[in-house]
């Protein structure tokens, strides 16, 4: 829990960013990220601002991952976004996969620069940022009938060997 500006917020995602020498906290509900600066032990709020919008937008965040130092990918009910800390800019993520609902869940980047996305009833998607290609894993995760909510992807994690761990209802799966 974070108490900032007189109100509580809940952070499900925290990542260390060496470019800012800060811990970046991404609340589940909110209009921005929080950076805890290690030098001065202070919190800074960084609002989600999109180009041509003077006010921050609010997101319901389901997944948060570091794409590279200072750049984060945010999966939300409102879509998939890229947030750059240095410019404090939020922009739609350039994914051209034909998802049905645009409601995303847990995400992770692997060591090969591929984004793994839980995409609601569209299943698990692996997006390659170098080729702009993608692969879906509907069959592998057990999505029998499109649109049927028979699976649950609770979290995704890339380990040191680049295996992708998938927390599911009733256990774990691993993509090696």
């Amino acid at each position: 829990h974070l108490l900032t500006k007189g109100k509580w917020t809940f952070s499900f995602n925290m990542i260390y960013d060496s470019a800012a020498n800060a811990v970046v906290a991404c609340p589940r509900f909110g209009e921005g990220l929080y950076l805890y600066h290690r030098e001065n032990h202070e919190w800074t709020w960084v609002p989600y601002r999109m180009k041509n919008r003077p006010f921050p937008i609010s997101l319901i965040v389901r997944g948060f991952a570091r794409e590279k130092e200072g750049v984060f990918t945010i999966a939300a009910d409102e879509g998939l976004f890229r947030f750059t800390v240095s410019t404090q800019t939020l922009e739609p993520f350039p994914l051209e996969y034909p998802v049905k609902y645009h409601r995303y869940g847990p995400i992770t980047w692997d060591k090969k620069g591929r984004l793994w996305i839980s995409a609601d009833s569209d299943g698990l998607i692996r997006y390659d940022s170098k080729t702009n290609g993608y692969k879906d894993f509907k069959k592998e995760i057990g999505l029998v009938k499109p649109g049927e909510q028979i699976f649950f992807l609770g979290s995704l994690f890339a380990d040191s060997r680049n295996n992708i761990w998938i927390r599911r209802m009733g256990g774990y799966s691993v993509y090696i």
Side-chain angles (χ1 to χ4, degrees), residues 21-93:
N21 193 21
V23 175
V24 181
C26 180
R28 172 74 71 170
F29 306 100
E31 297 177 342
L33 301 175
Y34 294 87
L35 277 69
Y36 178 74
H37 303 279
R38 295 181 60 202
E39 303 91 32
N40 59 12
H41 307 285
E42 292 183 2
W43 286 96
T44 302
W45 177 61
V46 183
Y48 298 136
R49 295 194 189 277
M50 295 188 81
K51 292 178 183 175
N52 303 321
R53 283 196 170 170
F55 52 88
I57 67 166
S58 185
L59 297 178
I60 301 171
V61 176
R62 304 293 178 177
F64 180 67
R66 181 178 50 225
E67 182 176 344
K68 56 187 172 187
E69 294 298 323
V71 180
F72 297 90
T73 307
I74 301 171
D77 286 358
E78 297 80 8
L80 198 59
F81 300 93
R82 175 180 285 144
F83 186 80
T84 306
V85 175
S86 62
T87 60
Q88 297 186 7
T89 307
L90 182 73
E91 59 188 349
F93 192 87

Side-chain angles (χ1 to χ4, degrees), residues 147-164:
E148 192 173 281
Q149 295 290 334
I150 60 166
F151 68 98
F152 168 76
L153 301 180
S155 58
L156 301 172
F157 174 75
D159 69 17
S160 63
R161 294 182 178 169
N162 212 34
N163 299 316
I164 304 301

